């Protein structure tokens, strides 16, 4: 996935996994963490964004829920994050 990923790309990527598999959002920071999925919302685009990804179309945003645990080293490696 990249900066131009759309909802259909995410849906297609998930179809190769068992629907009963737990899903977490992994974040890379000083201490990489796993989070549960929070709210999934659609918000207006932001054509004047100071961010590098201005977009006039509505955007689907996936929020993080509770911190689940520290990200396991194997997961960080699979994501291409060095530890």
């Amino acid at each position: 996935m990249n900066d131009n990923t759309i909802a259909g790309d995410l849906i297609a990527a998930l179809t190769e996994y068992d629907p009963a598999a737990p899903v977490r959002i992994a974040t890379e920071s000083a201490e990489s963490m796993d989070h549960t999925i929070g709210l999934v919302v659609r918000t207006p685009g932001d054509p004047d964004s100071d961010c590098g990804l201005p977009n006039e179309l509505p955007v689907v945003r996936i929020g993080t829920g509770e911190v689940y645990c520290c990200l396991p080293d194997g997961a960080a490696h699979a994501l291409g994050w060095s530890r």
Side-chain angles (χ1 to χ4, degrees):
M1 305 229 174
N2 59 49
D3 294 344
N4 297 315
T5 299
I6 59 172
D9 296 330
L10 177 59
I11 292 166
L14 290 172
T15 61
E16 65 183 74
Y17 299 101
D18 180 345
V23 175
R24 304 282 181 264
I25 295 176
T27 58
E28 183 180 29
S29 59
E31 185 175 358
S32 297
M33 301 297 291
D34 261 351
H35 300 263
T36 59
I37 302 289
L39 291 176
V40 178
V41 297
R42 187 179 122 189
T43 61
D46 188 5
D48 299 323
S49 174
D50 291 335
C51 174
L53 298 174
N55 187 355
E56 295 189 18
L57 299 174
V59 176
V60 175
R61 301 188 189 278
I62 301 171
T64 57
E66 299 294 318
V67 173
Y68 183 72
C69 66
C70 293
L71 187 68
D73 288 342
H77 179 72
L79 290 166
W81 301 341
S82 60
R83 305 248 331 238

